Amino acid sequence: MTNESFEVLITAEQIEERVKELAKEISEDYKEKKPLLIGVLKGAVVFLSDLIREIDVSLEIDFMAVSSYGSDTASSGIVRIQKDLDQSIKDKDILIVEDILDTGLTLSYLFENLRSRQPNSIKVVTLLDKPERRRVEFKANYCGFEIPDRFVVGYGLDFDEKYRNLNDICILDA
Ligand code: 5GP
């Protein structure tokens, strides 16, 4: 038995359309470059895989895994690298691909960590942004949707490792 219920916040069609728009903007901004897109595991996997197929410049991908959350929905404030990159990013044009920007703790840590490795440039694309929840100042260069302060699942986002395979982004009322 489960008491979890969903309310669709963003449909698969809306996501598809917005991903195309973001990819167009990114393709334009990186047309003279060969960006390295760094997906933040695991939540950004679905977004990254859709995004790269809409970008029409030559690119590379890599992944990092960080944790700031346990199986709880509240931020612990602690960021830990669980999987690092497979390569040096010195002189590369880095685009961090994140699922959701919430308190900002994860991305501000990751951004500073990657910046210290001397890339040529570093930007951030996030599919979702919850500006109300920010604990440290952080602004993404590209953002799919601003959403209210609700816990969402689907399109890669989980609750306790479940619901990543939903096509829509849904508010979870547990
Ligand atoms: P931040 O460090 O900005 O607080 O947290 C970013 C991370 O928290 C995201 O990558 C994601 O893993 C998790 N997170 C924040 N809000 C939500 C949410 O509404 N739903 C899910 N599934 N994860 C969230």
Side-chain angles (χ1 to χ4, degrees), residues 2-103:
T2 171
N3 295 320
E4 289 155 12
S5 68
F6 305 105
E7 179 194 326
V8 175
L9 180 66
I10 308 170
T11 65
E13 291 73 24
Q14 289 172 310
I15 300 169
E16 191 184 338
E17 197 180 314
R18 189 72 186 113
V19 167
K20 282 186 181 153
E21 289 170 0
L22 289 171
K24 199 169 165 209
E25 224 183 302
I26 291 166
S27 302
E28 186 58 30
D29 293 351
Y30 286 89
K31 65 177 176 232
E32 308 297 334
K33 299 182 172 142
K34 186 183 178 189
L36 171 64
L37 276 69
I38 299 177
V40 186
L41 295 171
K42 301 172 192 169
V45 160
V46 179
F47 176 40
L48 178 108
S49 65
D50 281 347
L51 186 69
I52 57 171
R53 285 175 293 173
E54 297 294 336
I55 295 177
D56 61 11
V57 298
S58 174
L59 57 79
E60 297 175 283
I61 62 169
D62 204 341
F63 294 95
M64 278 182 89
V66 293
S67 65
S68 63
Y69 279 53
S71 55
D72 200 346
T73 57
S75 173
S76 65
I78 300 161
V79 180
R80 196 160 49 93
I81 294 184
Q82 293 176 312
K83 184 223 168 289
D84 209 336
L85 299 172
D86 296 331
Q87 57 187 292
S88 161
I89 58 166
K90 192 165 183 330
D91 301 327
K92 295 204 170 185
D93 293 296
I94 301 303
L95 182 59
I96 303 174
V97 182
E98 178 61 302
D99 52 1
I100 185 164
L101 177 52
D102 185 25
T103 63

Side-chain angles (χ1 to χ4, degrees), residues 69 98-100 102-106 130 150-152 157-158:
Y69 279 53
E98 178 61 302
D99 52 1
I100 185 164
D102 185 25
T103 63
L105 289 164
T106 309
K130 284 190 210 171
R150 303 294 299 276
F151 192 81
V152 292
L157 288 146
D158 75 310

Side-chain angles (χ1 to χ4, degrees), residues 143-165:
C143 169
F145 303 91
E146 278 196 6
I147 63 167
D149 178 13
R150 303 294 299 276
F151 192 81
V152 292
V153 295
Y155 197 71
L157 288 146
D158 75 310
F159 173 65
D160 243 348
E161 295 301 324
K162 291 180 291 184
Y163 313 125
R164 294 191 196 276
N165 53 332

